[in-house]
Amino acid sequence: MRAVGQAARQASRRMAAASTAAKNQALLSLARRLREAGPALASANARDLKAAAAAGLDGPMLDRLKLSPEVIETVAQGCEQIAAMPDPVGEISGLKRRPSGISVGQMRVPLGVFGMIYESRPNVTIEAASLAIKSGNACILRGGSEAIHSNLALAELVAAALREAGLPPEGVQLIASTDRTAVGLLITAPEHVDVIIPRGGKGLIERISAESKVPVIKHLDGNCHCYVDAEVDFDLALTVVMNAKTQKYSPCNATESLLVHAESASDFLPHIGALLAEKGVEMRGCSRSLALLGPIPGAVIKPATEADWSEEYLAPILSIKVVDSLDEAIEHINRYGSHHTDAILTSNHGHAMRFLREVDSASVMVNASTRFADGFEYGLGAEIGISTDKLHARGPVGLEGLSSLKWVVLGQGEVRR
Amino acid sequence: MRAVGQAARQASRRMAAASTAAKNQALLSLARRLREAGPALASANARDLKAAAAAGLDGPMLDRLKLSPEVIETVAQGCEQIAAMPDPVGEISGLKRRPSGISVGQMRVPLGVFGMIYESRPNVTIEAASLAIKSGNACILRGGSEAIHSNLALAELVAAALREAGLPPEGVQLIASTDRTAVGLLITAPEHVDVIIPRGGKGLIERISAESKVPVIKHLDGNCHCYVDAEVDFDLALTVVMNAKTQKYSPCNATESLLVHAESASDFLPHIGALLAEKGVEMRGCSRSLALLGPIPGAVIKPATEADWSEEYLAPILSIKVVDSLDEAIEHINRYGSHHTDAILTSNHGHAMRFLREVDSASVMVNASTRFADGFEYGLGAEIGISTDKLHARGPVGLEGLSSLKWVVLGQGEVRR
């Protein structure tokens, strides 16, 4: 691990200084190699799938592990998309002349070395590698042991692509050992690693955050809200809330809690209740919403407990509360939410602006589904993860989140008086 | 401390939502109150000075503790300058339409609550309070016990100014207890505090960083370099290097190490050696620089040890090394420096650009004194501190460093497919 760390630190200097052309060449070479390597990748992946099936992993886990031709084509296209994006490194912004005569601005630079710890999906290996290459960072990747053969095969393609472009293959290193102590070494080596990005279950992320001596960009809960205001287009609100809750239940940006203004509740709740019941979504309501929802044949509707307001279900369950004002809605979201993504459905401009400003979440939305909180949807090309932290990067983290700004001073011999 | 933390968290919502007019009113009221409170402040400060003298504190410590009329006028003007600056909060940037129909941008928002732990200088109380007010953050201040009476008197003025502007006085709270356990509670309460900014000796900062459960914006060493290139205006280089080293010895942005390209060394070193000797600066050189410096009557010139290259002297001592290339200079700075502030003296544009890009420091400079690395000199109005971290903020931290960007999505009922 020490050798890996030192090699990464050394490679990071060359990655940071690499030309845009070389970085794009590596990305396009990687895309080509991914497409050419179909059979080799399939056989490496088959070993992982066989071992996983033998270990009794369930269907969804096997699905995530699978490197199908479609998954490979998607990640290859991802590399091409990132190659087509502007290079974030070296951009100087805000250069201004100061009374002393010096000009002061800021330059966007890579963070240096990031360590990524993730589970199952081997496509994350390519997503992380391609973001590292374009952002001029070196990275150390630690995938799940269940995907080790797939990841090793993918890492070989990355190293070959880097070499082809004249970049150091140590710019992207995969930890070949599946030993757990490697993670411990990775997160306690600030001399080799500048930031750790864990992706996986909440338990993994909490453990890494607690033990890491290196800053962590992390994603914890996604307890997302939709708030239906007093002034609102009911059809629009129905469409958006249904999409936010039911388009997919497992993503972190799916809505878990619905707040409805008292003036809208008597019309809105019976309508949405019927639609949710059709989709088999269980409703857990406050007493006022229960009275308005009424019993719906075949639907599970029950009283919400205090714990429900903080819950991230990731399942066909929705908590529902009637509120008396925009203030109450904002207060509820800031208190019980997880500062991830929250949306207001309203036709009142002032309310929309207050919600945007006062809800303290990484993504705040007006009249759009919380499911849009995603690096691709935001135009970042790809995301290395989603941050629920407040420092550095909030929300989807792409090329910019893997960089920071340093100060640049241009003088003609000025001195301080 | 729990009550202080809860009050800060609650006040932070109102500070974040405060209008620019109210925040500026509070700042101008604070400036007025500072000027009016001269006698009251002087008598509170006299108690601290008396106790400090009795405790045997030395001259420079007493100087830093003193709230002279000049110091008070300076901090009052600082409040007015911050009032005159644009409000960073609520600015939406980069709003772009996406193929899905939604518009995505970023809004600058306060961090929430910052905790500041600092020593001696009571003027820091006002600097921190004024930056908190303008940036829409709440803050909890923990000054040194030696300045407690001065700080309490200043904090009362801040509370009165906040009240006058209709803002919560709990927006800026000073911990009245000088008990050390208060610091321990402050840095382990992520539910109440979003970021800790320690200012003081390296020991204090390392201790806080190690024990904090809250992210820390920190400043460690300032081992700053000047590199004199092969192509350079000698007079310009002499002027800038002398300023960077000798204008003041104690600041973190003073130069501690001089690198000279071999082609410049034989002309440059004898000249600067004579100037440094005149100022009584001790020189610690590599063998090649010692040969070129030669003995200078009355000057202390000795061989540098390996430890010298990493040393932050904060004293009239300079380490000197001859290098054979720009590459060697960059490598030396990245290896031994503290990523604080480094300058190149050159007339070669390509070398200047490479130095800016490849030296991994918070501030990189061309033909200007490292002493310029400062919030006021950079036009930030004031600085809450200087960061040597790589995530979030690098270098001088002002209003922007006390804020972060959240994502804003504006839709017309769009849903995810």
Side-chain angles (χ1 to χ4, degrees), chain A residues 24-301:
Chain A
N24 289 346
Q25 191 192 342
L27 289 165
L28 296 177
S29 160
L30 178 55
R32 195 191 71 234
R33 285 166 192 275
L34 282 164
R35 293 196 179 100
E36 288 169 1
L41 289 174
S43 92
N45 189 230
R47 286 180 67 184
D48 289 331
L49 287 169
K50 201 174 149 194
L57 263 65
D58 63 356
M61 276 290 266
L62 291 178
D63 269 359
R64 281 202 288 275
L65 194 50
K66 189 156 190 192
L67 271 184
S68 67
E70 293 73 33
V71 169
I72 292 172
E73 179 54 30
T74 303
V75 292
Q77 283 180 14
C79 294
E80 290 165 344
Q81 282 167 19
I82 293 174
M85 293 184 73
D87 189 339
V89 177
E91 181 195 58
I92 297 181
S93 57
L95 202 66
K96 285 193 186 69
R97 199 70 170 275
R98 298 289 307 152
S100 60
I102 59 172
S103 294
V104 180
Q106 288 180 297
M107 182 191 279
R108 193 163 284 285
V109 289
L111 293 176
V113 179
F114 69 85
M116 179 126 178
I117 299 160
Y118 53 105
E119 292 169 340
S120 49
R121 291 181 202 276
N123 43 321
V124 173
T125 304
I126 298 299
E127 289 171 14
S130 54
L131 284 168
I133 292 169
K134 186 77 181 210
S135 62
N137 286 287
C139 68
I140 302 174
L141 306 177
R142 171 53 148 84
S145 53
E146 67 287 353
I148 186 68
H149 298 103
S150 313
N151 284 337
L152 284 170
L154 292 168
E156 260 181 49
L157 301 180
V158 176
L162 286 167
R163 265 192 219 99
E164 183 183 327
L167 296 174
E170 299 80 12
V172 177
Q173 293 176 92
L174 179 83
I175 300 179
S177 153
T178 56
D179 187 350
R180 269 185 175 243
T181 58
V183 172
L185 293 170
L186 186 64
I187 65 177
T188 51
E191 68 279 19
H192 298 140
V193 185
D194 296 297
V195 61
I196 293 284
I197 304 166
R199 269 173 76 167
K202 196 178 169 185
L204 170 83
I205 293 170
E206 284 182 331
R207 204 167 57 244
I208 285 171
S209 303
E211 291 169 16
S212 185
K213 302 280 175 217
V214 177
V216 177
I217 295 180
K218 66 179 171 295
H219 170 270
L220 293 171
D221 300 302
N223 178 18
C224 304
H225 295 73
C226 283
Y227 164 60
V228 178
D229 199 18
E231 300 167 42
V232 63
D233 176 331
F234 271 17
D235 288 338
L236 181 153
L238 285 171
T239 310
V240 170
V241 174
M242 285 307 291
N243 181 266
K245 179 66 227 176
T246 70
Q247 192 252 353
K248 232 177 177 180
Y249 296 111
S250 59
C252 56
N253 55 19
T255 285
E256 306 289 14
S257 198
L258 169 66
L259 305 178
V260 185
H261 191 283
E263 286 174 28
S264 297
S266 56
D267 269 350
F268 187 76
L269 282 180
H271 275 94
I272 194 122
L275 294 173
L276 290 166
E278 251 174 56
K279 292 269 185 184
V281 176
E282 177 180 327
M283 291 162 254
R284 300 191 187 171
C286 67
S287 58
R288 289 161 82 185
S289 54
L290 290 180
L292 292 166
L293 284 165
I296 304 174
V300 180
I301 304 182

Side-chain angles (χ1 to χ4, degrees), chain A residues 356 359 371 390 406 416, chain B residues 111 356 359 371 406 416:
Chain A
L356 289 182
V359 169
R371 290 279 293 109
K390 296 181 93 174
K406 67 179 178 189
R416 182 90 181 264
Chain B
L111 293 176
L356 289 181
V359 169
R371 290 277 295 110
K406 68 180 179 187
R416 183 91 181 264

Side-chain angles (χ1 to χ4, degrees), chain A residues 227 229-233 326 330 344-358 365-367, chain B residues 90 92 95 107 408-412:
Chain A
Y227 164 60
D229 199 18
E231 300 167 42
V232 63
D233 176 331
L326 173 62
I330 293 172
I344 184 173
L345 291 309
T346 189
S347 52
N348 181 302
H349 178 70
H351 291 184
M353 291 300 118
R354 276 199 57 205
F355 189 91
L356 289 182
R357 180 146 169 184
E358 297 179 32
M365 303 187 170
V366 177
N367 296 335
Chain B
I92 296 182
L95 202 66
M107 182 191 280
V408 163
V409 174
L410 304 179
Q412 303 84 30

Side-chain angles (χ1 to χ4, degrees), chain A residues 295-319:
Chain A
I296 304 174
V300 180
I301 304 182
K302 45 187 202 184
T305 64
E306 174 74 10
D308 276 303
W309 308 126
S310 308
E311 195 71 43
E312 182 185 24
Y313 302 116
L314 302 176
I317 307 172
L318 181 69
S319 67

